[in-house]
Amino acid sequence: MHFESHTPSGHTFSIDAAPEVGGENKGPRPTELLLAGVGACSGIDIVEILRKMRLDVKTFDMEVSGERAEDHPRRFTHVHVHYRLTGDLPVDKVRRAVELSRDKYCSVAQSLNARITTSFEINGETYE
């Protein structure tokens, strides 16, 4: 149940199943990697868009969660990404960057057959 992946960009990483299904917990689950991919892809988009707007992001992290169907193939039906940013960032500009990533640029999110929702915080204040 443990696999090693070699990417075209020259990176190697482990993927494994949970111990209760025969894995050895030597790496993240494929579904965890999928959610991480949505977060990283959209995060890269948002930082790039905000830089093009000449805005300086001091810190940026996110939390990605997903809901899965009960029946097989147990695909993700809903993915939510909550972004946390700090810096002198106008709400309307961050909202626009988040929307552009979610609706147009994030190829990982666009590859899913799931409802994608977002929210964000700027300096601790939350926006939908």
Side-chain angles (χ1 to χ4, degrees):
M1 296 290 205
H2 173 246
F3 296 90
E4 193 171 274
S5 180
H6 304 275
T7 68
S9 59
H11 300 279
T12 301
F13 61 93
S14 291
I15 304 169
D16 202 354
E20 58 267 16
V21 295
E24 297 178 42
N25 202 30
K26 290 183 177 179
R29 313 299 174 255
T31 51
E32 293 172 333
L33 290 170
L34 186 62
L35 291 181
V38 170
C41 179
S42 64
I44 290 168
D45 289 342
I46 291 166
V47 169
E48 183 177 355
I49 292 165
L50 293 175
R51 281 184 181 161
K52 286 181 179 178
M53 294 177 180
R54 300 189 190 280
L55 296 170
D56 185 28
V57 178
K58 297 293 183 199
T59 65
F60 184 23
D61 68 86
M62 67 205 70
E63 185 174 324
V64 185
S65 57
E67 296 174 16
R68 296 176 64 188
E70 291 295 321
D71 297 324
H72 287 284
R74 300 212 51 235
R75 68 176 184 83
F76 283 104
T77 57
H78 177 224
V79 174
H80 182 78
V81 188
H82 181 75
Y83 306 97
R84 288 184 290 273
L85 303 92
T86 63
D88 186 16
L89 303 167
V91 173
D92 61 326
K93 303 278 188 186
V94 172
R95 178 174 283 116
R96 181 70 179 141
V98 168
E99 289 170 352
L100 282 168
S101 176
R102 181 191 63 221
D103 300 337
K104 184 175 183 179
Y105 293 115
C106 180
S107 58
V108 178
Q110 293 299 315
S111 297
L112 296 177
N113 182 19
R115 182 171 59 102
I116 310 290
T117 58
T118 55
S119 58
F120 60 94
E121 292 176 32
I122 302 173
N123 303 319
E125 190 165 341
T126 300
Y127 303 90
E128 296 294 320

